[in-house]
Amino acid sequence: MNLNRNVSSIASLISDPSRAAILLHLLDGRCHPAGDLAAAAGITPQTASFHLAKMAEIGMVTVEKHGRHRYYRIAQASDAEMIEQLLSFAGPAPVVSLRQSDQMKKLRHARMCYDHLAGEAAVRIAESLQREGHLQKDGLQLHVTASGERFFSDFGLDLPQLRKKRRAFSRCCLDWTEREHHLAGALGQGLTERMFAMDWFHREEQSRAVRITQEGKQGIAERFGIRFD
Amino acid sequence: MNLNRNVSSIASLISDPSRAAILLHLLDGRCHPAGDLAAAAGITPQTASFHLAKMAEIGMVTVEKHGRHRYYRIAQASDAEMIEQLLSFAGPAPVVSLRQSDQMKKLRHARMCYDHLAGEAAVRIAESLQREGHLQKDGLQLHVTASGERFFSDFGLDLPQLRKKRRAFSRCCLDWTEREHHLAGALGQGLTERMFAMDWFHREEQSRAVRITQEGKQGIAERFGIRFD
DNA sequence: TCCACATTTCGATGATAATGGAAACGTCTA
DNA sequence: TAGACGTTTCCATTATCATCGAAATGTGGA
């Protein structure tokens, strides 16, 4: 059985608590300098560097040099999704502080899943798109219907451009807090980017959490027929 | 962040090649004596016992004593599904022998996923059930429609009994070879059990693979409108 | 009662790998 | 050009853990 070789090598990357902390931190899709990741994981820069080199070797993260900083990020969306899935099986974290529970609430509400939106907001948007007939689920694919083509174009997305990207165009991604699907792939990324460009969302500092702005609430209500309190 | 504690502890269980081999062997849903698992993983009985104790402690496997044997099995269907999901991210195993590729082909065709059917056959059955309007996808749930109630009852399933079980009644499970969903939960288990009772399938020895019998091919064609070569 | 067999417990060993101190390397700033 | 800073490389230490031999436990069969 050579199956396990792959599985266990992936699992062993995540099994180290320090690496898990780093990966969880990188799950926001942002680039982070090595020092930040060390601080986030509670280890010295040397150790973090060691772990990052190991993860880069397997291709789980990639580096970008900018000045004297080296910015790391998760290389592939699929790896980020795998970690999100593991989270769903790990179960909800034991809440130790009020501050943490507050943070958790924000994460459940809306967060980044690498390069696209996740959380309750993302799931409800995906539901709305299907209900309105813009997207049609087909296995793990989310097929864009004719009305969907119009909808996304109106929304300001350049679908032909998105289709050109070397990644899945439109697919489901299992949301670990909602246990429902949200929209991922190039389309999910493009839609998220567009909504950020319209100032519907703001990133929180140092977190994957995303805050919905007033314009966002209004826009989401108008476009998707979803109301947030 | 206490999230990572959970994630990494789960990952570390799978990260050891011996444990991964054991878990992969247990993925057939059958009970296996400790000695068999040791042989399957290529380790001594002592070492296997050590690993099994560790996995039992976390609750990933459970033991049943029968005479001087101790039979181990994966405790929860959800854990089995998690491992299947990890497999889908690990990607297809490098094929080293013709024999293995042959085995792989069988696994893709039809296999057990813990306690329910998986592989191409299971995916196509799930598709058929939705196409015929017996099941309706709702997030990760597969809702049984009125016509579905009749269909499954005709098929010989006791739905009220299945609903009583302390587990999800009817849900999707991602098939790692087909990358589509198949039917899981109590309903998936019950349906699988019924089809085995009707001699539609036979388990292969020492493997998760499942063979479709002549009756099976006929029955599947009649009931689900699916034809296998 | 004795022996064979499956499994576990105990204990020792050896390998692996995470960790941080020291130092080197690049890059930015003054 | 010098010094501060982010990062990496080298290296030694340490802890963890998988592994297996030996022995104990428990069960079944003769």
Side-chain angles (χ1 to χ4, degrees):
Chain A
M1 281 286 209
N2 262 23
L3 280 178
N4 33 11
R5 183 82 46 79
N6 288 316
V7 179
S8 58
S9 73
I10 286 184
S12 74
L13 261 194
I14 309 172
S15 66
D16 179 73
S18 299
R19 277 194 295 264
I22 289 176
L23 285 172
L24 241 43
H25 208 74
L26 286 173
L27 218 52
D28 63 2
R30 285 196 260 230
C31 292
H32 293 271
D36 277 18
L37 295 171
I43 50 181
T44 59
Q46 305 99 294
T47 308
S49 180
F50 164 76
H51 286 307
L52 289 166
K54 181 169 279 192
M55 292 193 276
E57 196 181 342
I58 312 266
M60 181 90 73
V61 301
T62 51
V63 209
E64 245 174 75
K65 288 182 62 172
H66 276 123
R68 55 184 160 183
H69 295 265
R70 299 209 181 174
Y71 291 92
Y72 286 90
R73 62 183 174 79
I74 294 181
Q76 295 178 350
S78 64
D79 286 332
E81 286 163 21
M82 174 186 63
I83 300 169
E84 285 253 331
Q85 300 230 355
L86 265 188
L87 276 174
S88 74
F89 284 105
V95 174
V96 292
S97 69
L98 266 180
R99 167 140 198 77
Q100 211 174 65
S101 129
D102 186 51
Q103 183 63 15
M104 197 59 205
K105 222 183 268 178
K106 284 185 185 167
L107 282 181
R108 256 201 298 272
H109 186 53
R111 69 175 179 279
M112 294 304 284
C113 172
Y114 185 62
D115 61 3
H116 56 270
L117 199 66
E120 189 199 350
V123 167
R124 293 184 57 187
I125 286 175
E127 281 171 358
S128 161
L129 286 169
Q130 288 175 80
R131 197 171 45 238
E132 299 296 322
H134 300 322
L135 290 178
Q136 200 158 17
K137 197 177 279 192
D138 171 23
L140 289 184
Q141 307 282 322
L142 278 171
H143 187 66
V144 179
T145 63
S147 95
E149 295 275 343
R150 281 193 304 277
F151 178 85
F152 288 117
S153 293
D154 280 356
F155 206 81
L157 295 186
D158 184 354
L159 290 188
Q161 189 64 32
L162 288 175
R163 273 188 228 274
K164 267 188 210 154
K165 299 206 179 185
R166 269 221 323 249
R167 60 183 290 193
F169 170 60
S170 169
R171 37 182 299 279
C172 295
C173 175
L174 184 58
D175 196 292
W176 68 274
T177 53
E178 301 298 306
R179 292 171 182 270
E180 304 271 343
H181 287 119
H182 58 244
L183 176 62
L187 184 60
Q189 185 270 323
L191 182 64
T192 302
E193 193 177 274
R194 181 81 186 104
M195 293 193 293
F196 268 93
M198 294 191 298
D199 252 340
W200 284 13
F201 299 106
H202 280 163
R203 300 283 314 252
E204 303 237 337
E205 291 299 322
Q206 301 287 4
S207 163
R208 305 165 56 199
V210 162
R211 194 167 46 75
I212 310 182
T213 64
Q214 275 308 324
E215 294 98 308
K217 285 182 188 174
Q218 198 176 331
I220 291 173
E222 284 172 11
R223 294 281 195 157
F224 301 109
I226 303 168
R227 295 187 35 139
F228 290 102
D229 47 355
Chain B
M1 282 288 210
N2 264 24
L3 281 177
N4 35 9
R5 184 80 45 79
N6 288 314
V7 179
S8 58
S9 72
I10 285 185
S12 74
L13 264 192
I14 309 172
S15 67
D16 180 73
S18 299
R19 277 195 294 264
I22 290 176
L23 286 172
L24 240 43
H25 207 73
L26 286 174
L27 220 51
D28 63 1
R30 284 197 261 233
C31 292
H32 292 272
D36 278 17
L37 295 171
I43 50 181
T44 59
Q46 306 97 294
T47 309
S49 179
F50 163 77
H51 287 306
L52 288 166
K54 182 169 277 191
M55 292 193 275
E57 196 181 345
I58 313 263
M60 181 90 71
V61 301
T62 51
V63 208
E64 245 173 75
K65 289 180 60 173
H66 277 121
R68 54 184 161 185
H69 294 268
R70 299 208 182 176
Y71 291 93
Y72 286 89
R73 61 184 175 80
I74 295 181
Q76 294 179 352
S78 65
D79 286 331
E81 286 163 22
M82 175 186 64
I83 299 168
E84 286 252 331
Q85 301 230 353
L86 266 187
L87 277 175
S88 75
F89 282 105
V95 174
V96 292
S97 71
L98 267 181
R99 168 137 199 79
Q100 210 173 67
S101 129
D102 186 50
Q103 183 63 15
M104 197 60 204
K105 223 183 264 177
K106 285 184 186 169
L107 282 181
R108 257 201 297 271
H109 187 54
R111 68 176 179 279
M112 296 302 286
C113 173
Y114 185 61
D115 61 3
H116 57 269
L117 199 67
E120 188 200 351
V123 167
R124 293 184 56 189
I125 287 176
E127 281 171 0
S128 161
L129 286 169
Q130 288 175 80
R131 197 171 45 238
E132 299 295 323
H134 300 322
L135 289 179
Q136 200 160 18
K137 199 178 276 192
D138 171 24
L140 290 184
Q141 308 282 322
L142 279 170
H143 186 65
V144 179
T145 63
S147 94
E149 295 275 344
R150 282 193 303 276
F151 178 85
F152 288 116
S153 292
D154 280 356
F155 206 80
L157 296 186
D158 184 356
L159 291 187
Q161 189 64 32
L162 288 175
R163 274 187 228 273
K164 267 189 209 152
K165 299 205 178 184
R166 270 220 324 249
R167 58 183 291 192
F169 170 60
S170 169
R171 33 183 302 279
C172 295
C173 174
L174 184 58
D175 195 292
W176 69 273
T177 53
E178 301 297 307
R179 292 171 182 271
E180 302 273 343
H181 286 120
H182 58 244
L183 177 61
L187 183 61
Q189 185 270 324
L191 181 65
T192 302
E193 192 178 273
R194 181 81 185 105
M195 293 193 294
F196 268 94
M198 294 191 298
D199 252 341
W200 285 15
F201 300 106
H202 280 164
R203 299 284 312 255
E204 304 237 337
E205 292 298 321
Q206 299 289 3
S207 163
R208 304 165 56 197
V210 162
R211 195 168 45 76
I212 309 182
T213 64
Q214 276 306 326
E215 295 98 307
K217 286 182 187 172
Q218 199 177 332
I220 290 173
E222 285 172 9
R223 294 283 195 156
F224 301 110
I226 304 168
R227 296 188 31 141
F228 291 103
D229 45 355

